[in-house]
Amino acid sequence: MTRPRILVVGAGFAGVGCVKRLERRLTEREARITLLSPFSYQLYLPLLPQVAAGVLTPQSVALSLRRSQKHRTRIVPGGAVGVDTAAKAVVVRTITGEYDVEPYDHLVLAPGSVTRTFDIPGLADHARGMKTLAEAAYLRDHVIAQLDLADASDDEAERAARLQFVVVGGGYAGTETAACLQLLTHNAVKRYPRLDPALIKWHLVDIAPKLMPELGDKLGAAAMKILTERGIQVSLGVSVASVDDENVTLTDGRVLPCRTLVWTAGVAASPLIGTVGAETVRGRLAVTPEMAVPGVENVWALGDAAAVPDLAKGEEGAICPPTAQHAMRQGRALADNLVATLRGEALRPYAHKELGLVVDLGGMDGVSKPLGVELHGAAAQAVARGYHWAALRTNVAKARVMTNWLLNATAGDDYVRTGFLASKAGTLRDFEYTDAYLTPEQVREHTGAFRGAAR
């Protein structure tokens, strides 16, 4: 009897959680498991702002997919760029730029999300993101480069422009990014005696009327107080009207001379979802509470790319937010349902009540709401770091992160530019490969040989 082929797309919290559970629960004779990922690591995304700030090294948040001695999943180094459910095959763009096709009997879609953008003049060419490890490393180099260039320049206007930074997005990612990078420049400027610290200006901009509204009014106000006391100018109800090489123009008419726009204004489901040809909800793939895609045989979806019903809220139409704690638990729950399907057992709907929210603002500052308890300041920061440390999947990653935290707290930063990504333009498109996905016609060109076999 041929073993069923389980193909998992994506090595984020959801995909890796699913694969690890499948490896534990299925014997090698029951199924063949394949994981599609451009990189051989799982990225611990919530700690990216600390990588950009130099508090953590990139390797400490890149958790190897091959460290486990019990590892038996076949890992394909490439990204899924198209799905043909009729052929039961996925088109893969390998890391060498070639195209291949991976057939499946069961498909698990966990491709995650990309940075959400809008049709704003200049945004695609000038915005930097905070969604990938390469983006975080690039942004650190870029910010330090602005200090270096400003220090070397005798042009006062150029100095002021290079020392003005704009972060768009008042959610967790944007707030943490602005807070951590502001601390980076605040501490680094002490090594630049020719620079006036008063010239360094950070702006946090968001179209929403409140900062991190999920935290509630009290903690949102506490976060606002922390940021403003550091000198970060927070502008709510405002967005970007246009951006070019030298200026960011806001919708309230202000023109900010600057060379750095960091765009963290939310996320959208991976463009791969658009190639599936199934129903979507707010851009995410519609699924049942068991995370099966209705009307498509043996296709499952979870994580940021899926609109998983949030049964714990008890509200009609509620879907789970795209957070790490949901993705990790959905991965395990979907694996259990997939095992149940293979063994002819009953499926279980996914339900999880959120444990709370944590926001690390760098230094000794944070705002957190663990199990509904509102905290701010050093206690909140300790809770945030404790949560992230405990959530790291491997002991090696935990050791690296703790060592980095202790070393940064005692020895500080050397503010070194690596220059590894100096040749990159640094746009969202460059790092997130949003233009790599195929049209349905292009997908069928690659999967034609599989369509007859799938019938």
Side-chain angles (χ1 to χ4, degrees), residues 91-125:
V91 181
V92 182
R93 188 175 185 269
T94 68
I95 58 174
T96 60
E98 300 171 318
Y99 289 96
D100 201 356
V101 178
E102 283 290 332
Y104 66 83
D105 295 304
H106 287 270
L107 175 62
V108 178
L109 293 172
S113 56
V114 296
T115 302
R116 182 181 60 185
T117 58
F118 302 96
D119 189 19
I120 296 172
L123 184 68
D125 296 322

Side-chain angles (χ1 to χ4, degrees), residues 208-411:
K210 295 181 180 180
L211 193 67
M212 296 183 292
E214 298 89 344
L215 287 173
D217 292 342
K218 182 180 177 181
L219 288 184
M224 177 77 81
K225 185 173 184 290
I226 291 170
L227 297 180
T228 53
E229 286 179 349
R230 289 191 192 171
I232 299 175
Q233 299 180 39
V234 181
S235 301
L236 300 176
V238 178
S239 189
V240 173
S242 66
V243 56
D244 57 33
D245 287 332
E246 298 184 349
N247 299 289
V248 173
T249 302
L250 303 181
T251 52
D252 62 4
R254 282 180 292 163
V255 178
L256 305 176
C258 80
R259 308 295 169 83
T260 307
L261 173 66
V262 185
W263 185 268
T264 62
V267 296
S270 166
L272 180 68
I273 297 307
T275 74
V276 178
E279 182 185 352
T280 59
V281 177
R282 303 176 208 167
R284 300 162 71 181
L285 203 57
V287 296
T288 66
E290 295 76 22
M291 291 171 283
V293 178
V296 186
E297 185 181 14
N298 294 342
V299 177
W300 313 74
L302 70 166
D304 292 7
V308 180
D310 193 346
L311 302 183
K313 277 192 174 180
E315 301 174 6
E316 186 177 354
I319 60 177
C320 295
T323 61
Q325 61 177 288
H326 274 297
M328 287 188 287
R329 289 166 176 80
Q330 287 170 9
R332 295 192 289 267
L334 193 152
D336 288 342
N337 280 340
L338 188 46
V339 171
T341 298
L342 294 176
R343 295 175 180 173
E345 299 169 354
L347 308 187
R348 292 184 178 181
Y350 170 77
H352 166 67
K353 187 175 182 180
E354 287 195 353
L355 301 176
L357 303 166
V358 295
V359 181
D360 188 334
L361 298 176
M364 297 297 291
D365 294 320
V367 287
S368 301
K369 197 175 182 179
L371 302 175
V373 180
E374 295 185 339
L375 301 171
H376 61 85
Q381 199 252 24
V383 168
R385 292 203 171 182
Y387 173 82
H388 290 314
W389 186 83
L392 291 166
R393 185 169 48 81
T394 68
N395 290 330
V396 171
K398 290 180 179 180
R400 285 198 179 110
V401 166
M402 184 60 71
T403 300
N404 284 178
W405 280 338
L406 293 174
L407 186 61
N408 184 266
T410 56

